Amino acid sequence: EAGVAQSPRYKIIEKRQSVAFWCNPISGHATLYWYQQILGQGPKLLIQFQNNGVVDDSQLPKDRFSAERLKGVDSTLKIQPAKLEDSAVYLCASSESDRGYEQYFGPGTRLTVT
Amino acid sequence: AQTVTQSQPEMSVQEAETVTLSCTYDTSESDYYLFWYKQPPSRQMILVIRQEAYKQQNATENRFSVNFQKAAKSFSLKISDSQLGDAAMYFCAYRRTINDYKLSFGAGTTVTVRA
C-alpha cells in the first residue's frame, strides 16, 4: 500500500514570496490533515478535511494560508505572502475517517523563509 | 484545549538497555486516546503505540510498553532492549473520542542510543 506522498521535500523562498505544497493521501482515506511543525516543537494542526469539506481550520492563519482538497483526494496548502516565522516542516496526514484513530503521515516539506 | 507536556527534551540510553520517556496531559474528558509517535531524521512520523483511556491494561507492542496512570494524567513510554534504530524524536499525543479528532502533540523527546 502506497503511503502519503508530499512534494516538494524542501523549499527555500524569500519573505513575501508565495509557496505551495502538495499532498496525496493514502487511497480511500476520507480525512486529510495538514500540520505545521516548527523546529523543536510538536506538530500543530492547521486544517482538517473530511472528503472535500473543511472540518477544522481554527488554527490556520487565514490572512496568508489557504488550503483546498479538490475532489476529496489531493490537497494543496498555500502560503501567500510568506513570513520568516513560517519556516517549518509541513506535514500531511490521512486517516480512513475522522474517527479513525490512526493517522498516517507523509515525509513532510521543509520550508525555509529567508 | 488539551495540553500535552513532555518534560525531557533529550534522553540517552545504552544499546540493549531500557529508557523511559515521560508525558503528562491535561483534559476534562473521561474517554480519549493517547499515542506515542516516533519521528526519525527522515521526518516520517510513525505510530509506535496507542492507549484507549477506558482500558486499564497498559498497551504493549513488542519492545515498547506504556505506563498509563489515568488519575495522575500520566502516560510514559518504556523502550526495552534499546536498538540503534530506536534513535529518533518521540512525541506523545492526545486525541478526543468525540467531536474533535485532531491530535495534540507534546514538544517531543530526542532519544539517542549509544553503541
Side-chain angles (χ1 to χ4, degrees), chain A residues 1-101:
Chain A
E1 174 181 83
V4 177
Q6 289 188 249
S7 67
R9 291 295 308 274
Y10 304 90
K11 190 75 176 177
I12 302 174
I13 62 172
E14 295 181 352
K15 60 184 179 183
R16 292 187 289 274
Q17 286 187 325
S18 302
V19 66
F21 313 127
W22 173 81
C23 173
N24 185 13
I26 292 173
S27 178
H29 279 195
T31 309
L32 186 147
Y33 310 81
W34 282 102
Y35 290 88
Q36 179 191 57
Q37 185 178 16
I38 293 172
L39 184 65
Q41 299 180 18
K44 180 187 78 172
L45 180 73
L46 291 176
I47 189 166
Q48 175 186 342
F49 291 95
Q50 180 69 15
N51 296 310
N52 60 353
V54 175
V55 174
D56 184 351
D57 64 356
S58 58
Q59 299 188 84
L60 185 74
K62 298 181 186 63
D63 58 334
R64 298 184 299 106
F65 286 65
S66 64
E68 60 182 6
R69 189 179 184 196
L70 299 175
K71 301 180 181 178
V73 182
D74 293 7
S75 178
T76 303
L77 177 69
K78 297 180 181 177
I79 308 175
Q80 179 179 11
K83 293 185 176 182
L84 295 176
E85 58 261 36
D86 298 332
S87 293
V89 174
Y90 291 85
L91 296 168
C92 179
S94 71
S95 62
E96 290 186 10
S97 71
D98 57 351
R99 288 168 176 75
Y101 60 78

Side-chain angles (χ1 to χ4, degrees), chain B residues 59-76:
Chain B
T60 299
E61 288 288 341
N62 300 315
R63 299 181 294 106
F64 298 87
S65 62
V66 299
N67 183 6
F68 174 48
Q69 301 290 327
K70 190 172 184 179
K73 297 181 182 177
S74 170
F75 182 60
S76 62

Side-chain angles (χ1 to χ4, degrees), chain B:
Chain B
Q2 288 74 33
T3 57
V4 179
T5 303
Q6 293 179 250
S7 58
Q8 305 155 314
E10 297 179 2
M11 294 288 282
S12 182
V13 60
Q14 189 73 33
E15 197 175 6
E17 298 293 310
T18 296
V19 64
T20 300
L21 310 183
S22 300
C23 173
T24 59
Y25 58 93
D26 181 32
T27 184
S28 59
E29 304 290 329
S30 60
D31 197 16
Y32 45 87
Y33 291 113
L34 294 166
F35 306 86
W36 279 98
Y37 278 87
K38 171 184 178 181
Q39 188 178 42
S42 66
R43 299 201 302 265
Q44 194 93 31
M45 193 84 78
I46 303 164
L47 178 64
V48 174
I49 198 166
R50 85 173 191 277
Q51 174 81 41
E52 289 95 337
Y54 68 88
K55 291 185 177 179
Q56 292 185 338
Q57 186 173 5
N58 290 321
T60 299
E61 288 288 341
N62 300 315
R63 299 181 294 106
F64 298 87
S65 62
V66 299
N67 183 6
F68 174 48
Q69 301 290 327
K70 190 172 184 179
K73 297 181 182 177
S74 170
F75 182 60
S76 62
L77 174 71
K78 184 171 77 173
I79 307 174
S80 304
D81 185 24
S82 296
Q83 301 175 0
L84 295 178
D86 295 332
M89 181 82 105
Y90 287 80
F91 291 95
C92 178
Y94 167 100
R95 206 202 81 171
R96 296 177 67 185
T97 57
I98 58 172
N99 297 331
D100 180 1
Y101 302 108
K102 68 174 178 286
L103 289 169
S104 297
F105 287 89
T109 297
T110 300
V111 172
T112 304
V113 182
R114 306 187 303 274

